[in-house]
Amino acid sequence: MTSLIHDHPSRLVSVRELFNIDSDFKVPVFEHKDEHVPDIDPAYCFNPDVTMAILAGFTRNRRVLIQGLHGTGKSTHIEQVAARLNWPCVRVNLDGHISRLDLVGKDTIVLKDGKQITEFQEGIVPWALRRPVALIFDEFDAGRPDVMFVIQRILEQDGKFTLLDQNQVITPHSHFRLFATANTVGLGNVSGLYHGTQQVNQAQMDRWNIVASLDYLPREDEISIVQGKVPRYADERGYQLISTMVAVAELTRSGFAAGDLSTLMSPRTLIAWAENTEIFGDPALAFRLSFLNKCDEAERPLVAEYYQRCFDQELEESRSLKLALM
C-alpha cells in the first residue's frame, strides 16, 4: 500500500454509465484496482438516492452516514460503489473490543538487529488518513464513548489529526473519505431491537454532512437479488418460490411495525432461507432453521401463521396457536 499514498483518480465517469442513474453527475475513478478494492457483485441492486449520497461523499469529500434496519445492505452499498470506482476501502466494526489504541496506535516491542526496542505502531485512523482510502465505521452507534471522540477529530472536513504521543500532525490525503453505518440515528436503543447501541453525542452527529436512510428493497428487486444469490431458483418456478418467501418476509416486517413481533426477516435472512432450501429441499424445514427458531417462543405461532398464509402449508407452531384459541 506504500505506493498508493501517491495515487489519485485518473478520470471522471458519468453516474449514468456506471450506475444507470439519470444524472449528469460525474465521479472520479481510479485507473488501477488495488488489493483493498472490494470485488464487484454483479447482482447488487443500488438504491438511487443512497447511491447519489455515497457518490457525493466520494466526489465532494462529504462525511456520509447510512442509517437503516439490519440486513438492508448499508455497508455493502458503500463497498459496491467503491468497487465500481476502484477506490480502496477498509471497514472497521466499532464493537466493544475496539479501543482508542486500536484506532490511534500504540507502542509495541519489536526485534531489530537482535535487540528488543519499543516502536510506535500506527493505528487504522492515521494509516487511512495518509492514503486515498474510504474508511467505513460499521455499527457507528455501538462505539464506546472514548472511541467516538477519537473519530470526532476526523469528522471535520480536511481536519488535521494530531498524534500526541508522536508529536505529529497528520494532514489527510486529498482523496481520503469517511463513511459510517448505523442501525439508529444516534438516539440509542429506542425500538428495543438493537441492544448495545448508544446515544451518540449530538455535536458529533451534527458533523456528518449527509445522513441517508436505506430501507428494504421493493419486492421485485428483492426477488432478483435472492435469485442472483441462489441461481438454482433463477427460472420461472424458482421465481414463484422466492416471491412467496418474500411475501412471508414482508408479513414479518408489517408485524414488527405493528408491534406484534419483536423481530423481522431481513434480506440477509431471506437469502439464507433460500440457500437452506436448496440444501434441504424443503422450504418449511429451511424456514424453521433460518428464521423461526430465532423468534421469541411466544411469537412463533404467529410467524408460523404468516408462513401458512403464503405457502398454504400448516406448521406445527401454527397448530399450537389454534389449539390455544379453542
Side-chain angles (χ1 to χ4, degrees):
M1 286 285 287
T2 304
S3 60
L4 189 62
I5 295 177
H6 306 291
D7 203 3
H8 292 81
S10 58
R11 57 198 174 98
L12 292 174
V13 180
S14 168
V15 298
R16 187 178 286 107
E17 176 185 337
L18 278 181
F19 301 97
N20 197 29
I21 295 176
D22 188 19
S23 171
D24 295 327
F25 195 62
K26 292 184 181 294
V27 293
V29 177
F30 283 83
E31 186 67 31
H32 304 291
K33 184 174 181 177
D34 179 80
E35 62 180 341
H36 290 78
V37 175
D39 294 327
I40 291 178
D41 179 1
Y44 191 79
C45 185
F46 289 93
N47 177 295
D49 291 342
V50 175
T51 301
M52 290 300 293
I54 296 170
L55 289 172
F58 279 109
T59 306
R60 301 294 178 88
N61 195 17
R62 302 281 87 188
R63 303 301 193 230
V64 181
L65 174 68
I66 309 295
Q67 179 271 332
L69 293 172
H70 59 287
T72 51
K74 300 179 291 297
S75 303
T76 308
H77 208 306
I78 301 170
E79 284 188 323
Q80 286 304 307
V81 171
R84 285 154 177 82
L85 302 180
N86 281 338
W87 205 299
C89 189
V90 176
R91 284 172 60 176
V92 178
N93 195 309
L94 291 183
D95 56 47
H97 296 288
I98 291 291
S99 68
R100 180 184 180 279
L101 296 179
D102 293 321
L103 295 184
V104 177
K106 55 190 173 183
D107 288 328
T108 58
I109 297 175
V110 297
L111 196 64
K112 273 191 178 181
D113 300 326
K115 297 180 180 180
Q116 287 186 344
I117 63 171
T118 302
E119 189 175 89
F120 181 76
Q121 182 179 358
E122 217 170 49
I124 187 64
V125 169
W127 179 90
L129 281 169
R130 301 181 195 274
R131 294 166 171 80
V133 166
L135 180 59
I136 305 172
F137 287 119
D138 274 339
E139 315 301 340
F140 180 76
D141 48 358
R144 289 163 35 184
D146 59 323
V147 172
M148 303 302 282
F149 281 108
V150 172
I151 297 171
Q152 186 159 322
R153 302 182 194 176
I154 60 173
L155 277 173
E156 298 288 352
Q157 189 176 357
D158 302 325
K160 294 179 171 59
F161 186 77
T162 304
L163 282 175
L164 296 176
D165 297 339
Q166 299 297 303
N167 293 325
Q168 287 186 38
V169 177
I170 301 175
T171 300
H173 189 284
S174 59
H175 289 91
F176 165 78
R177 299 293 183 263
L178 184 64
F179 298 90
T181 67
N183 294 127
T184 72
V185 285
L187 301 178
N189 187 31
V190 177
S191 66
L193 193 61
Y194 300 112
H195 300 291
T197 56
Q198 325 235 7
Q199 288 188 346
V200 178
N201 186 307
Q202 285 303 301
Q204 186 168 112
M205 286 297 298
D206 192 53
R207 284 171 165 79
W208 290 99
N209 307 126
I210 296 175
V211 177
S213 182
L214 186 60
D215 203 350
Y216 294 124
L217 293 167
R219 173 178 288 200
E220 290 301 320
D221 291 339
E222 202 162 9
I223 293 172
S224 298
I225 287 176
V226 177
Q227 286 184 307
K229 294 292 185 181
V230 191
R232 177 180 175 179
Y233 301 125
D235 56 11
E236 182 60 32
R237 186 175 178 182
Y239 175 88
Q240 296 300 327
L241 174 63
I242 301 301
S243 177
T244 308
M245 289 179 170
V246 172
V248 176
E250 289 175 337
L251 285 175
T252 67
R253 295 165 193 170
S254 298
F256 174 78
D260 297 329
L261 291 180
S262 59
T263 186
L264 52 79
M265 185 180 291
S266 70
R268 186 186 297 118
T269 303
L270 187 61
I271 292 170
W273 181 13
E275 291 171 339
N276 290 338
T277 300
E278 183 181 25
I279 294 171
F280 299 111
D282 182 358
L285 174 61
F287 177 70
R288 181 175 286 108
L289 297 176
S290 305
F291 179 69
L292 188 59
N293 289 343
K294 296 178 183 178
C295 299
D296 185 284
E297 195 169 345
E299 297 174 352
R300 290 179 189 176
L302 179 58
V303 177
E305 183 72 17
Y306 291 156
Y307 182 92
Q308 182 182 4
R309 288 185 208 173
C310 299
F311 279 89
D312 195 23
Q313 178 184 351
E314 191 172 44
L315 300 179
E316 181 181 343
E317 289 81 1
S318 62
R319 283 196 293 270
S320 65
L321 176 64
K322 290 180 178 179
L323 290 174
L325 294 174
M326 289 177 63

